[in-house]
Amino acid sequence: MKRRYIGLALGALVVVGAVLSLPSCGHDQKVVSLTITPTTSTFLEPGFIPPPPNPTQQYTATATYIHPPATKDVTSQATWKTDNGVATMSSPGLFTATPPPAGSPAGTPGPCGVGDISASVPEGTGGSANVVIAVATVTVDDPSNILCPGGGKLGTLAVGVFGSGTVTSLPAGISCTATGGTCIATYSVGASVLLTASSIPVWQNCPAATGTNTCVVTIPTGGTAVSATF
């Protein structure tokens, strides 16, 4: 009889241990929702002058589970995608505006527009085909390009210098020589920019400046270029 009672007691312990080892509610843990933060972000395209101050954005994927309830950061486990190439991912959730093609001259614009960034994780039941997806928005802007979101607000002024002279601007931005310096700057469309040369040059694309060392440029949509030959 004692052996029978001992056997029953051991059997009961095994059953209790098995029950305790089951997940809450007797089900596998399951993802019920997924969110991405921030939900939207805006970059200036990387060829913009001056260079954009916000070159990257870290998106975070957060999953909410049941059985048992939990909230977890799944950024590194999620599968990330973009839909149109305006942004590029360098590590899980870390995106930057897609740069211009390699070898492009300074100031060459990269792609601009609005795109979707998605993150997906397995639901946890029903096989790999069952996934939960969240979507955020990315905007790559170029205010100097009327074809881009927010375009037409800014325009670039490019100055070419030939010979031994210098051209500067007011408002500040241009300080250009034939061998370098800052020869491209961005201003609001419609703004007047005063260019001053170190001596009287031959201006091109500034007809009213003939015979003087100054040139006043009104920035048009899409920008403009002026040259000075000394």
Side-chain angles (χ1 to χ4, degrees):
M1 291 294 292
K2 289 184 178 180
R3 290 183 178 178
R4 182 184 177 191
Y5 290 142
I6 292 172
L8 290 173
L10 289 173
L13 287 173
V14 170
V15 172
V16 170
V19 170
L20 291 175
S21 68
L22 289 174
S24 175
C25 304
H27 299 287
D28 293 333
Q29 194 170 45
K30 177 181 177 180
V31 178
V32 292
S33 68
L34 183 68
T35 59
I36 298 176
T37 53
T39 56
T40 185
S41 183
T42 299
F43 299 103
L44 285 175
E45 62 89 13
F48 191 76
I49 298 175
N54 58 333
T56 62
Q57 176 64 60
Q58 178 66 60
Y59 289 84
T60 301
T62 304
T64 301
Y65 293 82
I66 57 173
H67 308 310
T71 301
K72 300 178 184 178
D73 182 339
V74 293
T75 302
S76 60
Q77 291 81 40
T79 299
W80 294 87
K81 294 181 181 179
T82 63
D83 66 349
N84 64 356
V86 298
T88 303
M89 188 176 74
S90 56
S91 62
L94 183 63
F95 286 86
T96 186
T98 301
S104 299
T108 299
C112 64
V114 180
D116 289 332
I117 290 175
S118 66
S120 62
V121 295
E123 181 191 55
T125 61
S128 60
N130 287 1
V131 296
V132 179
I133 300 173
V135 177
T137 300
V138 60
T139 301
V140 177
D141 191 7
D142 182 352
S144 66
N145 185 342
I146 60 174
L147 300 178
C148 294
K153 298 177 183 177
L154 299 177
T156 55
L157 172 60
V159 174
V161 173
F162 304 92
S164 55
T166 301
V167 175
T168 58
S169 68
L170 184 69
I174 299 290
S175 180
C176 183
T177 69
T179 57
T182 303
C183 298
I184 302 176
T186 303
Y187 300 95
S188 297
V189 168
S192 292
V193 179
L194 174 65
L195 298 177
T196 302
S198 54
S199 60
I200 297 177
V202 175
W203 295 100
Q204 288 189 335
N205 205 25
C206 196
T210 303
T212 72
N213 72 326
T214 58
C215 167
V216 177
V217 180
T218 300
I219 304 300
T221 299
T224 190
V226 173
S227 68
T229 302
F230 295 90

